[in-house]
Amino acid sequence: MKNYDVTVIGGGPGGLAAAISADNAGASTLLIEREARLGGVLKQCIHDGFGVIRFGEKLSGCEYATRLIRELETTGAELMLSTFVSKAEKQRDGYLLTLTSRGGMERVFTKALVLATGCRERTAKQVAIHGTRPAGVFTAGTAQAFLNVRGQMPGKRCVILGSGDIGLIMARRLTLEGARVLGVYEAKPDPSGLMRNISQCLWDFDIPLHLSKTVTTVHGDERVEAVTVAEVDEKMRPIAGTEEYIPCDTLILSVGLIPENELAESLGVPLDKKTKGPFCDQSYMTLVDGVFSCGNTLHVSDLADYVSESGDAAGRRAASYARRERSLLPVNISRDFSYVVPQYLDPEADLSETVFFFRTAAERKKTKLRILLDGVEIKQKQYNGLRPPEMERIPFDLSGAGLTKDSKLELLMEEVRS
Amino acid sequence: MSVAKKQRKLRKIFGGAMELRPEKGRMHLVGEAKSWDDAVQAGLICAKKGSDIHVVSDVTVKGLEIPPMRVPELRDNALEGLRPDVMIIGAGVTGCAIARELSRLKLNVLLTDKEYDVATHASSRNDGMVHPGIDILPGLLKKKLNTRGNRMYTRLCRELNVPFDRCGQYLCFRQKSVLPLLYLTKPYWLLSGAGSTEVLTKKALKKRETDVSDEAACALYFKSAGSVCPYGLTVALAENAVENGVRLSLDTAVLNMAVEKGEIRSVNTNRGTVYPGLVINAAGVFAEDVAKMAQDRFFSIHPRRGTNAILDKKARRHIVSIYSLMGTQSKSAHTKGGGVVGTVDGNVLVGPDAVETPEKENFATDAESILKTFEKQRHAAPWLTQGDIITYFTGIRAATYEEDFIVEKGRAVRNIIHAAGIQSPGLTAAPAVGEMVAGMVRDYFPKAEKNPSFDPNRKPIVRMAELSFEERAKYIEQNPDYGEIVCRCEEISRGEIIDALRRPVPCSTVDGVKRRCRPGMGRCQGGFCSPLVVKIISETLGIPESEVRKGSEGSRLLMGEKGAHK
């Protein structure tokens, strides 16, 4: 049986970065990808906007993936493609993985595990859309795969529900391919995607964005014939009497992503209800020793660059992972936050490159973010505005702050009056 | 209630809108109702539960146009001039069970369905419960068939290699005081055919079903209840029937029949005219329409909708078998009240409700059904959350006003057998209905010999994920496709999908593949695998990806190659 220091599961922007950094840190590394090619969802992202932070230039998703793949090829990391992790079991000194591939069944042993399994899309039924079940209802990512990977048109007259980034990108993409996008509907009063995507994908193509409106019903027995949209109240419930019947042949959903953590759960990794990813410390180690998590598996990021950044860190720390008792310090957050990652700090581990990722719970104007240690402010940062769709990042050297397992760490937001 | 009394009651409730006319062998209800619910209520008033004199309703509703039966657009002569001994109309679980029973005999059997696959209506749209038959009145035909059918399941599922879990069912009660009474009912259940029971205190119940509601003070456990995949069983019955010589013709709708002197001479379909010796009406919600074409209409079907929700496999840890709480049943008497079912595939099913509808093929769901079902079932299962829903579906029951099954030879026509009004517990009863109809068919073909090559056993599509490491390795060595995982949620390989396309009852659609080996049944609902499944169907069957359908003929998933349509 083969034996590795670090095994990374998932070959997208997180997993590629993790495998590279683990190998660079001197660990014997294995990268497992279930698809035939590396890159994860980047393979179908032919639009640009990737890599501004990491590579200092605007790349398409495919180019971004290619850069990482080339880098991986310079390392000694082993690669298994078209390989599925059927089972992961905890053992005394690591993890036993059962792998399925065209080559047969195989077991490998690894000391540390990095989960980089990405996320899946929320479906129509998970946002309570009713009516019939005809062909022509796609999640945005599936429509993107059909169009950009298979070269097939998923529809011609499309309604898009949800203003998440993939939905916006698909609105433009479908328009460029000759389909008619009748409108993007968003149940929330604010758009969920990045402002740049609203502007570049909708305004530039005269695609209307309807806020506080949702799709309630799908019509058509065989192929989608129409959808009913309705205004929603502040609790997102459709308001009777506001229904509108919109003939179309396709409904595309961009209504959220859910981190894929089934493998993590099978290993007993506790998940944060808010992020739907594992709780972790600043090393991206989950609450189960030796299991690391990164990228969209941990929490849904806006940018592939951030996904890779957490992959870098998770891979590097997994490489130097050695079993010891951890006494974790919770990161306390005020209600102003939707969430903060990491949720814990390990005072015994390296704190010099701590990075907090957070999302605000509500849209805010000028805001001061404060980090308090035992009631004393140790860092602050000012923001001109915060929006829930935009993830924020604060790198912070906490090594000299004197953290102990009994410290109290708090993150707060304060309004700044100008 | 006498006819006169019923007529008075009708007049009292609905004025003179509807009228009951006792005719030879039937109760004819005519008139115009204000609403469909009125029309159904009138029918139920006029009917006597379990009676063999049926209400035949011609009541119309003002302003309501009931959509006609959907018929495939396909027109060919594939069946033209065929002279089968037996033609079965309807390839649901009933029709397929009948077909398999008949394949034991040396008969020429044609099984038809208007849909693109077997089990597309009620047989794939139910909760998969194999009922003990708790709440069916003794004396009804469906009671007898349910009891017999239930007993046949273990062997049937073993022969067909269909997963079946005789997990039992808990009927929970809120009042501790009923506990001693439950003991007294035990002989009744035994005698009535529901079988052996156990009485459980709250503590004992909680030991077996840890997460059942605290509202449950005690429970009655019916050992004979079980859970099966209803479409899996129907496909298996059809496959075994076909392997044993039955001819299956899908996309085949019966359009009309030529009947002379009380005998069906020919059956006209969209695929040619067939001249069967005997017709079996297993047409589900359309059984009345078929009976009418055969000029043997002596019952009416009033469709009744039921919606179920399917929960993520994560919810399965909360439930071992099946349970429901008494006293939270819906007010309508026409549902078993639904419940919470742990399925053989590892999901949880919640529902169904029961709503009358004039539309026999409107499978649309609505938010209210789900909401009400959850509200009700949460009394039994407080752990239910709508956040765990991965999908939901609606099925339509083919109820008669007498609320009993009809399994009998034609009354005005010699060569037809009706298996009609088969609503819940039709899945449980199906094997017994098959047996009963086969018995009747023997009367028509007394000289029919046994089919010497009949093999009751069916080889399933092997589910790789359920095999041991070594067994799985062996399969992959023989065929590497078994090692290529396509559906990550359900861990289904390319090999299993190709198998599904090449079965004795082949399929060519994404939904057909899904029903046979489950890609797309998981929590992502095909988000990841559907482009791959489409590709595999396209490659295996040699059709362009843009021709691959979700299900029926108008349900193509894609609209051609990009760039091609500009």
Side-chain angles (χ1 to χ4, degrees), chain A residues 34 86 102 150 222 262, chain B residues 484 488 491 523 545 552:
Chain A
R34 72 180 181 93
S86 290
R102 293 184 69 89
R150 306 295 321 141
E222 300 192 294
E262 282 63 41
Chain B
E484 186 179 326
R488 75 209 260 180
E491 208 176 328
R523 49 180 70 97
E545 288 182 46
S552 55

Side-chain angles (χ1 to χ4, degrees), chain B residues 48 61 106 185 222 227 417 439 472 481 519 522 524:
Chain B
K48 183 172 171 241
V61 177
K106 266 175 100 173
T185 63
F222 292 85
S227 175
I417 297 172
R472 206 167 166 181
D481 283 344
C524 91

Side-chain angles (χ1 to χ4, degrees), chain A residues 13-35:
Chain A
L16 283 166
I20 293 165
S21 71
D23 182 84
N24 286 342
S28 62
T29 305
L30 170 66
L31 174 60
I32 302 171
E33 165 56 45
R34 72 180 181 93
E35 289 191 71

